[in-house]
Amino acid sequence: MTTMTRPLPVPADWRDFLALTKPGVMRLVVYTGLCGLLAAPATVDPVLGFTAILCIALAAGAAGALNQWYESDLDAKMKRTRGRPLPAGRMDRQSALHFGVGLGAFAVILMGLAINLLSATILAGSILFYVVIYTVWLKRRTPQNIVIGGAAGAFPPVIGWAAATGHVSALPLMMFALVFLWTPPHFWALALFVKTDYANAGVPMLPVVAGERVTRTQIGLYTVPMVAVAIAPWPLGLTHAIYGVVATLASAFFGLLAFRVATRRTQAEDRMRPEKRLFAYSIAYLFVIFGALVADRFLA
Amino acid sequence: MTAPSPDDEDLIRARQRSRARVTALLLGALVVLFFLISIAKIRSGTP
């Protein structure tokens, strides 16, 4: 009667499994993946297009679950993350691991069978990159963690494009570079106003390790190539004027906000408004840029 | 090492039921999706 002598664990609620996939992060991943798929010069069957985006979403969910599985000790130390299923004790780690591995494998296999091998390979690479390179290797070791880790979030438009066309060309690679270069200013703006949280958890985020001055300079330095890469597809003839004008205006405003953050110093009782504004705008920026890419393909 | 209380047992059964329902819904959705993928593949003539 082993079941009577062992405490029967309460199984996690299905909502906790959903929370494990980080649905908030998934929105941007799905959106950039969808834009990559729609901006590609190919006609995609709606069912296969939906399947490709579903696979990207599931893979992002799997990566999020594996990230939370590995980082449950870290999440317990931060106010922002201590309510997650694992640190809150609503789920055991093994369930999270099985869920993450199962979901990831399912997403890659479905992509390979239903869409094509190239998109499935890049999808598998993106999960491994996020989990192994970013979560396990870099995050706790170097303040450059999110610079390299940012590449994981840059894969979706390339995967969407590869799913539609079966190959990868210059434009999706530029979109990859855009998201890659966008990640440092985006995350470091956040890290500037949640610095205490990261410091408590011992995560070597740039403001914690190198200080605010360096972080602000780095935000400015990464913004310059990011703006260049965002606008470049237009003069290179990869897009038309719709994308070019929107990207130029949106990037100019991004540059303005980033310049403000890069050149100021934190005052006493500072409410960090410019940093919060840059962080909020950076999310809208990516939505606008990728939206313009799709609009350019269909309207120009 | 004690047996779960009646309250715990109720919670466990409720969780199992809701998880089973969600799993059934997801499996049903996958059946429909796989059917539609097969149709799309046949229509486009791709393997």
Side-chain angles (χ1 to χ4, degrees):
Chain A
M1 298 294 279
T2 47
T3 50
M4 293 307 285
T5 51
R6 280 187 198 156
L8 202 59
V10 177
D13 193 71
W14 65 269
R15 290 173 196 85
D16 287 327
F17 284 99
L18 185 66
L20 217 54
T21 63
K22 300 188 182 178
V25 176
M26 207 191 279
R27 267 197 293 261
L28 203 61
V29 167
V30 166
Y31 179 74
T32 53
L34 178 65
C35 289
L37 185 129
L38 292 175
T43 312
V44 187
D45 182 283
V47 173
L48 298 180
F50 171 81
T51 305
I53 298 304
L54 178 71
C55 290
I56 293 174
L58 295 179
L66 291 170
N67 169 274
Q68 289 191 46
W69 162 74
Y70 188 78
E71 290 189 340
S72 56
D73 60 325
L74 214 67
D75 285 346
K77 293 177 190 162
M78 297 204 290
K79 213 162 44 181
R80 187 172 63 85
T81 53
R82 68 172 59 128
R84 285 176 175 175
L86 289 173
R90 298 195 304 273
M91 184 187 288
D92 62 293
R93 291 187 78 231
Q94 198 181 39
S95 298
L97 175 64
H98 291 173
F99 177 70
V101 171
L103 195 64
F106 176 76
V108 171
I109 292 169
L110 181 59
M111 187 72 114
L113 292 176
I115 311 299
N116 58 51
L117 204 58
L118 178 65
S119 53
T121 307
I122 306 173
L123 192 68
S126 71
I127 300 174
L128 290 174
F129 195 96
Y130 185 73
V131 176
V132 180
I133 308 285
Y134 172 68
T135 304
V136 176
W137 183 31
L138 293 173
K139 188 164 179 182
R140 300 184 198 218
R141 281 182 175 81
T142 163
Q144 294 300 313
N145 46 18
I146 56 109
V147 177
I148 318 276
F155 280 111
V158 183
I159 299 167
W161 186 286
T165 62
H167 62 82
V168 174
S169 58
L171 188 56
L173 289 179
M174 295 189 87
M175 292 301 108
F176 178 93
L178 170 64
V179 181
F180 178 71
L181 293 166
W182 164 90
T183 308
H186 167 74
F187 268 109
W188 284 334
L190 171 73
L192 279 172
F193 60 85
V194 293
K195 197 172 66 171
T196 327
D197 226 12
Y198 282 120
N200 290 342
V203 180
M205 289 300 275
L206 200 61
V208 177
V209 175
E212 270 196 34
R213 192 70 246 137
V214 172
T215 307
R216 290 179 185 283
T217 308
Q218 291 288 320
I219 287 176
L221 289 176
Y222 272 95
T223 300
V224 175
M226 188 212 75
V227 167
V229 167
I231 299 170
W234 187 25
L236 288 175
L238 300 171
T239 62
H240 304 95
I242 292 177
Y243 173 83
V245 172
V246 173
T248 305
L249 292 175
S251 301
F253 192 58
F254 192 111
L256 212 66
L257 294 179
F259 179 76
R260 173 93 180 96
V261 170
T263 53
R264 74 187 285 269
R265 282 168 194 269
T266 308
Q267 310 294 320
E269 301 293 313
D270 202 316
R271 296 172 76 175
M272 308 295 268
R273 281 211 175 117
E275 291 73 18
K276 288 176 182 169
R277 206 173 295 144
L278 175 62
F279 176 71
Y281 177 73
S282 66
I283 298 169
Y285 172 77
L286 221 54
F287 272 95
V288 168
I289 290 282
F290 277 91
L293 198 66
V294 176
D296 190 86
R297 154 109 166 87
F298 288 101
L299 302 177
Chain B
M1 298 294 175
T2 54
S5 69
D7 279 353
D8 274 352
E9 271 187 9
D10 286 347
L11 180 62
I12 289 166
R13 298 286 167 258
R15 288 272 169 89
Q16 285 172 336
R17 265 197 302 273
S18 73
R19 279 170 60 156
R21 249 181 243 129
V22 171
T23 307
L25 276 174
L26 289 177
L27 286 175
L30 283 178
V31 168
V32 174
L33 180 66
F34 290 161
F35 174 73
L36 292 175
I37 290 171
S38 305
I39 299 295
K41 289 268 188 190
I42 291 165
R43 214 168 37 199
S44 65
T46 52

